[in-house]
Amino acid sequence: MIQSYLEKCPESTETCCGKKRGEWSLVKYVERVTAATGLVKDTVGEMMFRKLYVEFAGTIRGGRKSEEEAEAQWLMWEAAATKKDPSVHCDYAGPHGQLRVWVATSDLLTFRSEYMHQKEIVCEGASVKKGTNEDVDAMRGELLSKHGSGAMNFEGVAAAMVSNGHDTFKDRDGFIMDVLDLKADTEDFVEEAKPDKTEEGEEDGDNKKKSQKPWVDRDHVISSTVWAVKTTNDTFQAKGQSQLTKQEAYLKELKDSAQAAFQDSFSGEMKSLAVRLEGLRLVFHCQDESELKQYIGRFSADEEGAGASEAPPCDAYANLRPMAVLHSMVEQYKTCTQPEQVKEMEVSQQISAARAPITQLLSQANRVEKSLKTGLDKFKKTNEKKAAEMQKAKEAEPAGSLVMFDQGAALATQFQHYKVADITKDEDPVLPNFSRPFIIQVNEWSSDAMKEGSPMRIAVDEFGTSFDSMRGQQKECRASKAITASGDFDFASLVHKLFEKAGVVLPVDALDKPLQDQMVPTVFGIDKGYDKVSLESGSMACVRYTLSGTRILVVADTMQLVGFMQRKGVSGHITTSRMSSFFRCMSVATLTEFQTQCTLFSATVGPGDLVFLPVGAVVGENAQGVVKGLRLPVVTHGSVDQSIALTFRRRKSELETLKSGAQAEEAKTKMTHEIEVVDALLKAVTAAKAAPATS
C-alpha cells in the first residue's frame, strides 16, 4: 500500500519538497481474524403508549407493578422524552399522536461459537482538492487484493489452536480475541515497538481536555428549559387543586346528606378520603414543610399500631413535598455551566421523584371517591329493594294502616346529628344548617329540668297529672301548656345560648309585640299511638326537647309539598288541613316519587334529643310510648333559606282566604291574631337579611 502511495503521489519526492499541494486522504487497510465463543444476549422490546404500559406493568412479565408505580415510571419517561434524552427511545405514533416509549419485554440468550475473517478500509483525515472519496473507491480493488501474503490467513486459526491448545478460545468466554496475538507453529510474529509519546504531546492532550468551548446560547437553553418545567409544574398543580376542590365539596355534601346508616357502614372510606384530602391541602397550599412533616409524623406506627396509621395517605407518604419545593427545584437549572449538565436531567429526575408521591396521593383519593360513589349507589338500591319488600308485606295488612312511619321513614334521609361541644367551641365551631331539621344530643338538660323540687319539675308534674287524666278519656291525644315559671332551669335562655355561635336565631327583644307573645316555652305531651301530621302556628320554626318517651318523626317542607300536590292534580286552594291529610295518607309509590322530587327527612327521637324544625316544616309524628317534652318557637334570619318569606306569605294568604269564608267570630278572631303574627314574622325575617353584613 505504501509503495502504491509513493507511485501515485509525485509530490512526496524530494523534487517537490516545500510545495504545498493540499491535503490527501490517508487510506488504512485493516485485516483481522477474530474468534469467539459464549452467550449472545439480545433484548427484545415493544413500543408502548401510556395505557398499554400500565396494563403490561401489572402482568408477571411486567414485574407485577402497582398502578401507582407504573404511573410514576411513565412520568419519568415522559420528562426524559421532553428533554430528548437519548437513553429513552420514543416516538409519537400512538393513538391520536400519543407518546410511545420502547419497553424491554424479554431477553434472548443464544450460545454462539464462531470464527470470522474481517477486512475493511478506514479513511483518516480530511479529503480536500485532489484526494477525494472517488480516489478511495478507485483504489479499493487493488488494496483488497492479495491480502493473504505475509500474514496469517483464516487457515492460521487451526495452526494457532494446535500450538496453543484446543481450548484457546474458551479461556476468555464471551470476549473477542485477536488471533494475530497468538503464536503459530510455522511463523514467528514480532510486534513492532510503539513509539513513546513525547512529553510535549502529553501536555498538548491535557491542555486540549482542559479547554472547553464557550456556551454561546446558554441563556436561551436555560430559559426555555425553566419555562418548560415551570409550565409542567403549573399544569400539574392546577389539575391537582381542581380535583381537591371537587372532592372536598363531594365529601361535605356526603356528610350533610347521606344517611347515618351509610356513614356508619362506610366510615373507613370516608376517613380515608378525609385524610388524603388533608394531605393534598398541605401539598398544594402550605409554603413550608413543617406542617406537612407533622402530618407525615402522624402515620408512624407505634407499638400498638394506634394513631392514624390505619388510613395512610399513600405508600410513599414519607416522600411528600409541598409544591413550593418543586417550584424552587426549577431554579437549580440556572446553575448549569455546560450543556451536558442540562442534558443529564438530574434536576428533572428530582422533580419527577418529588411529583411521584403527589400523583400517587391524587390517584388514591380518586380511588376512595369512586368506592364511596359505588357504595352509595348500592346502598340506595338496597334501601329501595327493602322498601319494595316491605310494601309487599304490608299489602296483606288491613286498609287504613299508615306506611309513612315504616316505608316512608326507610326512604327518607336521616336527621343530621350534632354535639354540644362542637357547636359551642370557641374556635371553628360546627354550624348546623338551619334550613333543614337536625338533632342535638343534650342529656344533661333533662336531669337539670327534672331536679327534685325545681319550678320546672313542678310545672311538668302538674301538666302530667292533667294529661294522664285526659288520656284516660281520649286515646291517642296531644296537649300542651305554657310554662310561666322556670327557676334555675331557663329553657329559652339555654336554647338561645346554644345557637349563639351560629348567629341566625333572632333575639326575642328584637321582635314585635305580637311575635314576642308567641316566644313562650311550653310543655307538651303525646299519647302512645298518636300518628298525626301537624304544622307550627304561622309555619314558624321551633325547638322541641324530649324529656321522656320515644317517637318517630317524618318531616317535609310546605312549599315543596304544595308544589308536589299541584303536580299530582290537586286543584283549588291547598289549606293546611288538606296538606296534612295528603301527606299522612301517601302510599309507598307516592312516597317514593315524593322522595325523588322533594326532600323527606326522618328520625327516631328519644330522651335528651333537642330537635330543630325549620320554617314551614310539615311534621308527622308516631309516638311509641307516652312522650313528654318542652317546646320553644324561634325566629331565624331570612338569609338562612330563600323560601322562608315565601312560606310566610303563603300562610298569610291561606289565613286571609279562610277568614273571609269563616262564619264563627271566634274563628275569625283566632285567624286575625295569627295573621298579625305572620306579618310580624315577615317583617322580622325581611329586616334580618342585611343584619349579618352590618354587624
Side-chain angles (χ1 to χ4, degrees):
M1 183 183 68
I2 296 175
Q3 184 63 33
S4 175
Y5 177 80
L6 295 176
E7 293 176 356
K8 294 179 178 297
C9 301
E11 68 271 19
S12 62
T13 60
E14 294 182 359
T15 57
C16 298
C17 289
K19 294 182 179 180
K20 186 175 182 180
R21 297 291 184 90
E23 299 181 5
W24 284 76
S25 297
L26 176 62
V27 181
K28 180 174 64 177
Y29 167 73
V30 178
E31 180 179 359
R32 178 176 297 156
V33 178
T34 60
T37 180
L39 285 176
V40 178
K41 177 182 177 182
D42 294 326
T43 302
V44 181
E46 182 180 350
M47 298 297 289
M48 299 183 183
F49 53 92
R50 185 172 190 158
K51 187 175 181 180
L52 182 61
Y53 171 70
V54 173
E55 180 181 349
F56 169 74
T59 62
I60 297 177
R61 294 171 62 85
R64 288 288 190 186
K65 294 182 180 179
S66 64
E67 184 177 348
E68 292 76 16
E69 293 174 342
E71 291 287 352
Q73 179 62 52
W74 185 266
L75 288 175
M76 295 180 64
W77 284 341
E78 199 174 44
T82 304
K83 296 300 180 181
K84 298 182 179 180
D85 186 359
S87 63
V88 177
H89 305 286
C90 61
D91 61 21
Y92 290 89
H96 306 291
Q98 295 184 31
L99 173 67
R100 295 196 313 173
V101 177
W102 184 85
V103 181
T105 57
S106 63
D107 291 332
L108 182 63
L109 298 178
T110 304
F111 184 83
R112 182 179 298 170
S113 179
E114 62 182 8
Y115 302 100
M116 291 190 299
H117 194 178
Q118 300 174 343
K119 295 181 288 184
E120 61 178 330
I121 294 177
V122 180
C123 297
E124 294 182 352
S127 297
V128 293
K129 293 187 178 180
K130 294 183 179 180
T132 62
N133 290 330
E134 286 76 7
D135 298 329
V136 176
D137 293 335
M139 298 168 60
R140 186 181 301 274
E142 183 179 355
L143 290 172
L144 295 180
S145 63
K146 300 179 182 180
H147 56 269
S149 60
M152 176 184 277
N153 54 18
F154 193 67
E155 287 73 12
V157 174
M161 294 178 65
V162 172
S163 176
N164 296 276
H166 182 71
D167 297 331
T168 299
F169 304 113
K170 293 184 179 180
D171 293 340
R172 299 176 66 186
D173 195 9
F175 294 89
I176 301 298
M177 299 185 62
D178 195 342
V179 182
L180 298 179
D181 293 338
L182 301 176
K183 181 179 180 181
D185 57 344
T186 57
E187 298 182 23
D188 293 331
F189 296 92
V190 181
E191 296 184 358
E192 297 182 0
K194 297 181 180 180
D196 296 335
K197 294 183 179 180
T198 60
E199 295 181 1
E200 182 179 358
E202 292 178 355
E203 291 179 358
D204 293 340
D206 294 339
N207 293 334
K208 185 176 182 181
K209 292 181 180 179
K210 292 180 181 179
S211 61
Q212 294 180 347
K213 296 182 179 179
W215 191 3
V216 179
D217 57 345
R218 178 185 182 278
D219 293 340
H220 169 69
V221 174
I222 293 295
S223 61
S224 60
T225 303
V226 170
W227 176 84
V229 177
K230 280 186 176 181
T231 303
T232 304
N233 286 346
D234 293 341
T235 304
F236 176 77
Q237 183 173 1
K239 292 182 178 179
Q241 288 178 340
S242 176
Q243 175 183 327
L244 173 62
T245 303
K246 293 179 181 178
Q247 291 179 343
E248 284 180 334
Y250 172 73
L251 182 61
K252 184 178 183 302
E253 180 184 358
L254 195 64
K255 290 181 178 179
D256 293 340
S257 60
Q259 299 183 16
F262 172 80
Q263 296 190 24
D264 292 339
S265 301
F266 290 86
S267 59
E269 286 82 353
M270 294 179 68
K271 180 180 179 181
S272 297
L273 182 58
V275 169
R276 284 156 174 75
L277 295 182
E278 182 184 357
L280 290 175
R281 280 194 298 272
L282 294 174
V283 167
F284 290 119
H285 297 303
C286 71
Q287 298 299 322
D288 55 19
E289 298 188 67
S290 58
E291 296 182 14
L292 188 58
K293 289 180 179 178
Q294 292 177 358
Y295 167 79
I296 294 173
R298 288 162 42 192
F299 302 98
S300 300
D302 52 17
E303 296 179 358
E304 288 83 12
S309 57
E310 58 183 348
C314 60
D315 298 336
Y317 64 93
N319 297 325
L320 285 174
R321 295 294 180 268
M323 283 300 301
V325 175
L326 269 72
H327 292 310
S328 63
M329 289 181 180
V330 182
E331 301 299 324
Q332 298 181 20
Y333 281 109
K334 298 180 179 179
T335 62
C336 297
T337 58
Q338 292 298 322
E340 293 78 9
Q341 297 176 358
V342 178
K343 295 180 180 179
E344 288 175 359
M345 292 193 307
E346 295 180 358
V347 181
S348 300
Q349 293 176 1
Q350 294 175 5
I351 294 176
S352 299
R355 194 187 300 156
I358 304 176
T359 304
Q360 187 183 40
L361 185 55
L362 290 168
S363 176
Q364 292 285 355
N366 280 332
R367 182 174 299 178
V368 179
E369 182 187 11
K370 183 178 179 181
S371 175
L372 282 172
K373 290 181 178 178
T374 304
L376 183 59
D377 292 339
K378 292 182 179 179
F379 185 80
K380 289 182 178 179
K381 291 180 181 179
T382 303
N383 285 346
E384 293 175 359
K385 185 177 180 181
K386 288 182 179 178
E389 292 176 354
M390 292 176 67
Q391 172 61 17
K392 292 180 181 179
K394 288 293 181 179
E395 289 178 355
E397 296 184 359
S401 60
L402 293 178
V403 297
M404 183 197 317
F405 301 107
D406 40 25
Q407 292 96 328
L411 290 172
T413 302
Q414 295 297 309
F415 283 25
Q416 189 71 30
H417 286 69
Y418 296 94
K419 296 181 180 179
V420 177
D422 295 335
I423 296 177
T424 58
K425 61 183 180 181
D426 295 331
E427 295 182 3
D428 297 328
V430 179
L431 303 180
N433 186 355
F434 284 80
S435 65
R436 56 190 296 173
F438 58 86
I439 294 176
I440 304 175
Q441 185 70 28
V442 197
N443 294 323
E444 59 272 19
W445 284 10
S446 179
S447 58
D448 295 340
M450 303 304 291
K451 188 180 298 183
E452 188 69 25
S454 64
M456 180 62 72
R457 173 67 178 273
I458 296 172
V460 173
D461 289 343
E462 290 178 355
F463 171 80
T465 302
S466 60
F467 181 67
D468 291 339
S469 176
M470 180 181 178
R471 290 193 302 112
Q473 301 175 6
Q474 181 183 353
K475 296 298 183 182
E476 301 178 3
C477 61
R478 180 190 185 113
S480 62
K481 181 181 179 181
I483 302 174
T484 56
S486 57
D488 296 334
F489 183 81
D490 191 351
F491 181 63
S493 299
L494 290 174
V495 170
H496 283 276
K497 185 177 181 180
L498 180 63
F499 295 149
E500 184 179 5
K501 297 289 185 182
V504 298
V505 177
L506 300 180
V508 179
D509 299 336
L511 307 176
D512 292 343
K513 184 65 170 59
L515 195 53
Q516 289 184 5
D517 296 338
Q518 297 292 321
M519 303 290 105
V520 178
T522 58
V523 57
F524 67 90
I526 305 175
D527 191 15
K528 181 179 179 181
Y530 178 89
D531 57 354
K532 304 295 188 298
V533 176
S534 62
L535 282 81
E536 284 291 326
S537 176
S539 298
M540 63 193 308
C542 75
V543 173
R544 299 179 185 178
Y545 182 72
T546 305
L547 295 173
S548 61
T550 305
R551 67 190 189 278
I552 298 175
L553 299 183
V554 180
V555 181
D557 180 74
T558 298
M559 301 302 296
Q560 295 182 22
L561 181 57
V562 170
F564 180 80
M565 292 174 64
Q566 292 174 347
R567 291 192 295 272
K568 296 297 289 184
V570 179
S571 59
H573 188 69
I574 300 178
T575 60
T576 301
S577 59
R578 294 182 68 188
M579 190 189 317
S580 301
S581 177
F582 180 88
F583 184 64
R584 183 175 182 271
C585 300
M586 283 195 295
S587 64
V588 175
T590 308
L591 277 170
T592 304
E593 184 179 358
F594 179 83
Q595 192 270 342
T596 304
Q597 300 179 10
C598 308
T599 56
L600 186 66
F601 300 95
S602 177
T604 301
V605 182
D609 287 340
L610 183 73
V611 180
F612 173 81
L613 298 174
V615 173
V618 183
V619 185
E621 296 177 276
N622 183 17
Q624 308 298 308
V626 180
V627 179
K628 294 179 182 179
L630 304 176
R631 168 188 165 276
L632 178 69
V634 293
V635 181
T636 57
H637 281 293
S639 58
V640 170
D641 192 351
Q642 295 181 356
S643 63
I644 289 180
L646 295 176
T647 303
F648 289 146
R649 292 191 183 98
R650 196 213 68 83
R651 179 58 177 167
K652 181 181 178 181
S653 176
E654 176 188 351
L655 291 171
E656 290 175 348
T657 303
L658 294 174
K659 180 182 176 182
S660 62
Q663 299 294 331
E665 290 296 327
E666 182 179 357
K668 289 184 177 181
T669 303
K670 184 178 180 180
M671 292 178 188
T672 301
H673 177 66
E674 188 172 353
I675 289 174
E676 294 176 356
V677 173
V678 174
D679 286 334
L681 285 169
L682 276 170
K683 179 181 178 182
V685 299
T686 305
K689 286 185 178 180
T694 57
S695 60

